[in-house]
Amino acid sequence: MTLPKAEVVRAARRASSGMADRDTPFIFDEWYVAAFSDDVGRALLPRKLLGKNVLLYRTAGGEVVALDDRCAHRSYPLSDGTLEGDTVVCGYHGFRYDAKGDCIEVPAMAKCPRSIGVKRYALVERGPLLWVWMGNAEAADPALIPDTSYHTSPEWACSKEYLHLPGNYVSLHENLLDLTHLSYIHAKSFGSPEYARAPYTTELGYGRFTVRREVIPTVLPPVWADPMGLTGVTTAARIAVSAFESPGLHRVTTSFYDSAVPEGERVVGTICTSHIPTPETRTSTHYHIVHGRNFALDDTVATQVMHDRLFTAFREDVDALTKVEVVLEETAPEDFYEISVPTDGPSVAMRRYLLQRADAEAQARAES
Ligand code: FES
Ligand SMILES: [Fe+2]
């Protein structure tokens, strides 16, 4: 039995203490996806985001509103009230709020006091996504929303789905940045045995972390080989770039072609998947996914087949991270350590960044 020596465990714990984990406070000054656009209509939709209860609804004019889901009177959830026109009427004593979050009617008073209201959060609708800013309202700059314009481009065929992850969002970002797990977690879906050992390069900037992995030659799994016309081809290339773009977005872009075909004559197909984690609680995450491809655009059968196969694989990640969360919950602090290996470099850098951001925000809050 080979257990790590005490000094190795101490070093591992020291390293972990510099990285974000499930106990790290959320980073509020960021854009996160609150919901898919078509989730929100003329009904009151409650959603917990970054540990806060938020109410989402759409006005008659089509604007999406995000309010604190807590009546200013006696804390009744506004989402349990009713939507009347563009106003929300609390289900307890009937206080009425407009779309700005201002209370405009208190039924038991002839005149509504001006000073009652609930917080309204900045929210921007971009294609299929609703981006919300839960932090300092003055810093909510829509220019900071990551570019996902391919979601609505006619040059891409996209599909989307929501998964609920009973695990922390940091684990999901780590999972997405270290694709060596493809050969194991996804052995039956889109992994291939040589993937974990394939050469890779990294770019580790402050707030942006990428891993580029080239697997050449390889045999593509059917999910891409079939629509690309590369079924059975043993000289295929699979080049994946996995990029942490913000605490609320991770993008994986993968290109495929037949490496036996000379450059310039190759047909290159690309898929691009937006993995969109939004913390719900310390131990749960809203996981929105938009997947696109720039080939076989009119092939609706391919869209459905790829969607089904890919989301089967994404559920494998959710299953794995759910298991990890359970183990973390059950592990006593004195027994806990995790040892990183060189391929963890990008995720270690990313987790250090998340911790720095969370610490800086916590300090700013304390000072204000
Ligand atoms: S709790 Fe909402 S009106 Fe009283
Ligand atoms: Fe995965």
Side-chain angles (χ1 to χ4, degrees):
M1 182 168 65
T2 307
L3 282 174
K5 292 197 169 84
E7 60 263 33
V8 173
V9 171
R10 271 198 299 276
R13 286 182 174 148
R14 239 188 341 267
S16 292
S17 70
M19 298 181 227
D21 59 21
R22 63 211 288 272
D23 294 321
T24 303
F26 299 131
I27 298 166
F28 286 89
D29 284 348
E30 277 291 345
W31 291 100
Y32 295 94
V33 167
F36 283 130
S37 296
D38 52 15
D39 289 337
V40 181
R42 296 287 292 153
L44 301 176
L45 177 71
R47 186 149 282 195
K48 193 182 284 290
L49 305 167
L50 284 69
K52 293 181 186 291
N53 292 318
V54 177
L55 161 68
L56 301 167
Y57 69 95
R58 199 177 282 275
T59 66
E63 186 191 13
V64 177
V65 176
L67 301 178
D68 252 344
D69 192 9
R70 186 180 77 82
C71 181
H73 180 221
R74 286 294 180 271
S75 299
Y76 194 78
L78 290 175
S79 56
D80 262 16
T82 51
L83 180 62
E84 294 184 7
D86 290 346
T87 66
V88 179
V89 179
C90 179
Y92 197 170
H93 311 94
F95 282 34
R96 183 187 297 270
Y97 298 87
D98 67 13
K100 294 199 291 289
D102 294 334
C103 183
I104 55 170
E105 185 187 342
V106 174
M109 295 176 76
K111 194 160 177 245
C112 180
R114 285 237 186 114
S115 54
I116 304 176
V118 295
K119 184 169 181 176
R120 176 174 172 161
Y121 298 99
L123 190 139
V124 175
E125 187 161 11
R126 289 270 166 86
L129 304 177
L130 298 174
W131 293 90
V132 70
W133 182 278
M134 303 287 294
N136 173 15
E138 286 170 14
D141 179 0
L144 299 174
I145 297 174
D147 178 17
T148 53
S149 49
Y150 84 96
H151 292 168
T152 50
S153 164
E155 288 163 24
W156 290 81
C158 293
S159 68
K160 62 182 171 56
E161 194 169 319
Y162 168 89
L163 302 175
H164 185 259
L165 166 64
N168 182 272
Y169 86 110
V170 176
S171 307
L172 178 55
H173 272 301
E174 181 163 67
N175 164 280
L176 293 163
L177 202 48
D178 178 12
L179 300 183
T180 58
H181 75 265
L182 262 68
S183 304
Y184 301 93
I185 293 281
H186 304 302
K188 296 198 189 99
S189 51
F190 58 25
S192 55
E194 70 278 24
Y195 201 91
R197 290 185 295 277
Y200 65 96
T201 56
T202 63
E203 281 180 39
L204 309 180
Y206 186 75
R208 189 179 156 83
F209 308 92
T210 65
V211 181
R212 178 188 165 92
R213 183 170 255 103
E214 300 197 1
V215 195
I216 311 172
T218 187
V219 176
L220 295 180
V223 61
W224 300 304
D226 295 350
M228 282 287 299
L230 294 173
T231 307
V233 172
T234 56
T235 50
R238 175 177 180 176
I239 300 170
V241 178
S242 186
F244 171 101
E245 304 204 357
S246 83
L249 177 71
H250 187 110
R251 200 177 334 235
V252 180
T253 310
T254 310
S255 296
F256 313 100
Y257 54 86
D258 184 354
S259 65
V261 176
E263 229 175 314
E265 295 172 32
R266 290 171 183 162
V267 177
V268 180
T270 300
I271 60 164
C272 188
T273 310
S274 297
H275 297 269
I276 306 162
T278 303
E280 180 183 44
T281 67
R282 173 176 165 267
T283 55
S284 62
T285 302
H286 301 291
Y287 186 12
H288 295 86
I289 303 169
V290 182
H291 174 264
R293 69 179 191 280
N294 71 353
F295 54 92
L297 294 183
D298 299 325
D299 190 341
T300 51
V301 174
T303 299
Q304 192 58 52
V305 170
M306 287 179 78
H307 181 99
D308 292 346
R309 288 177 176 172
L310 284 170
F311 281 80
T312 297
F314 299 147
R315 277 185 208 97
E316 291 170 342
D317 291 304
V318 167
D319 288 348
L321 294 175
T322 302
K323 289 173 187 164
V324 168
E325 193 72 40
V326 170
V327 174
L328 289 174
E329 187 67 34
E330 292 174 347
T331 303
E334 63 271 23
D335 294 334
F336 179 75
Y337 61 87
E338 286 183 337
I339 295 175
S340 299
V341 295
T343 48
D344 295 318
S347 57
V348 167
M350 178 273 296
R351 287 176 57 185
R352 284 188 182 136
Y353 163 77
L354 290 180
L355 183 60
Q356 285 168 15
R357 288 282 312 273
D359 284 349
E361 268 197 21
Q363 193 173 339
R365 267 196 301 276
E367 285 168 6
S368 69

